[in-house]
């Protein structure tokens, strides 16, 4: 109608134009769609960010596997040949390990296993705590910063332990912070990756853990004293916080669910520019449970909410989409998923850590054994990464668990004498190969089964279950004979059957909210 009013109408429009949006919203898309169509799924930005964030896995390997060397029995052969095996004269000195310094042999031998179990207990508690914190106000990057700083502090204090019980307490605290490292680094590294590349990227994070174990063996060889070893393996965590984390970006998905739309868009723009792509001016990011037909009015309301949040701290929660493990349990869909992933992670961890302990405790050079074990897991990662996006998460998880379970079952049926020792060893190696693939695949699978608002909380529960399996694994190993292989075989086979009850997530959207997940599932079943 204004066009019929001639110059006056035009003048009025010109006077009002500065008050109107200069680039009206033309298209509102989710993060997955924006990555796929405009920013790039895995370009230069994601590669650099992925490597920097995933480097934290090597730190977790340091703090977890250091116990292999710090709590070892130095010069076992010479000690066994001494007059009193319960008062050995350690040929390399008492400073070599906690066992030698505090006499953890004979009746005190259980204390070595106790320290290991207490560490994993700390991991179990920490993974739940930091899983929740990284989903809430602290964020993925903030949580990773805190756990790395704590790791450095607790690790350095451990090197000063005056008694065994102080040592155990500090190992518990180190486990508490270590429990949050892997899951925060994993989510931080994979959330900015597009859906078709996320599987291979997620599997690749675990190379950093294996490489960390191999590096640890070299460090332990150069620093045989357990106190010096704790110092040298703790300092890299501090270096990571000061020199690496400043170049790591917070997850745009976390920004989005916290209603920090401008921050999320800034990250997406940086991703696109670094990847040599462009996000059109009219394209705006949105949560997956927002109405596709929303117009610019909703965008202005979101901007107003963001502005209120910046001015009034009490208004933050009203503008934020949040969730907790309670929300997961309330929904029938996610409740079943959580139960299954918890049980499957538990069974997988019992087998993985149990078989790893059997291999590490062979009468061979401890440094060489640890290196070979870390390298042996890498083919499992490569094979799974290559096949993951071809066959899907569910078939791969079922097959790898069953391969491990089947060979462990065979190992329980053969004797440990003569040539059968080799057969049992081969069964154990293949069992580790299969379960290593499953163990790492479950991180990707679990992350894709839950929306952004509760993803780290769900991963934290799954990680807690895995840590419980790690606590129990040594108890299975000490049973000896055919029993451990029988238990590992049963765990692998049962775990594979349980995976059948989970949905496939390959090439499905990575939902942001519980409502978005429920709506997506309803559409998927129609």
């Amino acid at each position: 109608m204004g066009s019929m009013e001639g110059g006056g109408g035009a003048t009025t429009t010109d006077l009002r134009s500065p008050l109107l949006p200069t680039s009206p919203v033309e298209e509102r898309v989710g993060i997955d769609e924006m990555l796929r169509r405009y920013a790039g799924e895995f370009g230069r930005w994601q590669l650099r960010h992925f490597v920097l964030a995933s480097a934290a896995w090597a730190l977790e390997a340091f703090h977890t596997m250091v116990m292999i060397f710090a709590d070892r029995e130095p010069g076992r052969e010479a000690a066994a040949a001494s007059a009193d095996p319960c008062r050995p004269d350690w040929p390399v000195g008492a400073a070599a390990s906690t066992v030698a310094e505090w006499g953890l042999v004979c009746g005190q031998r259980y204390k070595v296993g106790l320290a290991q179990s207490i560490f994993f207990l700390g991991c179990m508690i920490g993974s739940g705590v930091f899983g929740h914190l990284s989903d809430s106000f602290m964020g993925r990057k903030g949580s990773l910063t805190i756990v790395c700083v704590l790791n450095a502090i607790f690790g350095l204090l451990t090197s000063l332990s005056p008694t065994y019980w102080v040592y155990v307490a500090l190992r518990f605290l180190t486990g508490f912070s270590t429990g949050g490292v892997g899951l925060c680094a994993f989510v931080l590294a994979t959330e900015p990756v597009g859906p078709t590349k996320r599987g291979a990227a997620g599997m690749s994070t675990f190379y950093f853990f294996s490489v960390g174990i191999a590096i640890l063996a070299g460090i332990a060889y150069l620093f045989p004293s357990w106190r010096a070893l704790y110092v040298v393996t703790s300092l890299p965590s501090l270096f990571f916080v000061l020199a690496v984390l400043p170049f790591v970006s917070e997850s745009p998905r976390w920004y989005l669910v916290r209603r920090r739309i401008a921050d999320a868009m800034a990250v997406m723009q940086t991703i696109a520019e670094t990847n040599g792509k462009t996000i059109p001016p009219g394209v705006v990011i949105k949560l997956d449970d927002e109405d596709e037909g929303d117009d610019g009015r909703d965008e202005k309301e979101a901007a107003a909410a963001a502005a209120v949040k910046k001015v009034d701290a009490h208004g933050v929660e009203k503008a934020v989409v949040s969730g907790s493990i309670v929300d997961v349990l309330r929904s029938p869909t996610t409740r079943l998923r959580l139960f299954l992933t918890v049980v499957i992670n538990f069974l997988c961890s019992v087998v993985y850590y149990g078989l790893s302990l059997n291999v590490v405790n062979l009468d061979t050079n401890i440094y060489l054994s640890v290196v070979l074990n870390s390298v042996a897991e890498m083919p499992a990662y490569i094979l799974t990464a290559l096949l993951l996006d071809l066959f899907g998460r569910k078939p791969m998880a079922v097959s790898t668990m069953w391969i491990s379970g089947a060979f462990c079952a065979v190992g329980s049926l053969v004797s440990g004498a003569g040539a059968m020792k080799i057969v049992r060893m081969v069964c154990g190696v293949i069992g580790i190969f299969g379960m290593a693939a499953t163990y790492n695949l479950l991180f990707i699978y679990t992350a894709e089964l839950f929306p952004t608002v509760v993803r780290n909380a769900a991963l934290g529960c799954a990680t807690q279950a895995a840590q419980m399996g790690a606590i129990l694994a040594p108890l299975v190993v000490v049973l000896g004979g055919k029993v451990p292989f029988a238990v590992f075989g049963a765990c692998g086979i049962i775990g594979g059957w349980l995976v059948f009850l989970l949905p496939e997530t390959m090439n499905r959207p990575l939902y942001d909210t519980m409502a978005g997940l429920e709506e997506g599932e309803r559409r998927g079943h129609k």
Side-chain angles (χ1 to χ4, degrees), residues 60-73 96-99 104 111-123 158 167 171-172 174-175 178 216 220 226 229-230 233 353 357 360-361 366 370 467 470-471 474:
E60 179 173 340
F62 287 177
H63 293 286
T64 301
M65 298 302 180
V66 67
M67 68 181 69
I68 297 175
F69 304 100
D71 301 337
R72 74 189 189 280
E73 290 187 20
S97 75
T98 58
V99 171
L104 306 182
K111 291 184 177 180
V112 176
L114 178 62
Q116 179 179 354
S117 295
I118 291 296
F119 171 83
F120 284 118
L121 177 62
C123 289
T158 301
Y167 173 77
R171 285 300 287 164
F172 171 80
T174 305
T178 300
L216 173 64
W226 73 270
L229 182 60
Y230 272 109
T233 55
Y353 283 102
L357 288 174
V360 171
N361 290 332
I366 188 172
V370 172
Q467 299 299 347
I471 293 171

Side-chain angles (χ1 to χ4, degrees), residues 71-218:
D71 301 337
R72 74 189 189 280
E73 290 187 20
R76 183 185 302 175
E77 296 81 4
S82 63
D84 186 356
C86 293
R87 293 180 178 273
D89 183 16
W90 303 111
V92 292
S97 75
T98 58
V99 171
E101 182 163 336
W102 292 316
L104 306 182
V105 293
C106 295
Q108 301 295 310
R109 194 183 189 91
Y110 76 94
K111 291 184 177 180
V112 176
L114 178 62
Q116 179 179 354
S117 295
I118 291 296
F119 171 83
F120 284 118
L121 177 62
C123 289
M124 184 179 69
I125 297 173
S127 61
V129 171
F130 289 104
H132 171 73
L133 290 177
S134 63
D135 277 335
S136 58
F137 69 95
M138 193 173 290
R140 281 79 162 111
K141 182 178 177 179
S143 297
L144 185 58
T145 302
I146 295 298
V147 294
C148 287
V149 170
L150 291 177
N151 264 352
I153 294 173
F154 294 145
L156 291 172
L157 290 176
T158 301
S159 69
L160 303 175
S161 300
T163 66
Y164 166 80
W165 291 110
V166 172
Y167 173 77
V168 170
L170 287 168
R171 285 300 287 164
F172 171 80
L173 293 174
T174 305
F176 176 77
S177 52
T178 300
V181 174
L183 77 94
C184 291
F186 178 85
V187 175
L188 194 59
T190 57
E191 280 195 334
V193 178
T196 65
K197 308 295 183 183
R198 194 177 299 124
M203 286 302 300
S204 299
T205 60
F206 303 103
Y207 290 111
F208 294 85
F209 187 83
S210 296
V211 170
I213 297 175
I215 294 174
L216 173 64

Side-chain angles (χ1 to χ4, degrees), residues 226-299:
W226 73 270
R227 294 185 185 273
L229 182 60
Y230 272 109
V231 172
V232 176
T233 55
S234 299
L235 290 176
S237 293
L238 193 59
F239 174 82
F240 180 80
V241 171
L242 298 176
V244 177
L245 269 180
F247 300 97
V248 174
S249 171
E250 179 58 88
S251 169
R253 296 181 187 276
W254 180 80
Y255 279 139
L256 185 59
V257 298
R258 301 297 293 180
R259 293 295 190 185
R260 295 171 60 173
I261 310 299
D263 291 328
M265 279 301 299
V267 175
M268 298 302 291
Q269 290 286 1
T270 302
I271 294 174
E273 291 172 6
T274 307
N275 291 345
K277 297 179 178 291
T278 303
I279 299 177
V283 176
V284 176
I285 203 169
K286 74 176 184 71
L287 286 168
D288 52 24
D289 67 340
E290 292 180 12
D291 188 358
E292 293 288 346
D294 286 348
D295 55 19
R297 179 184 59 192
D298 291 329
E299 189 61 31

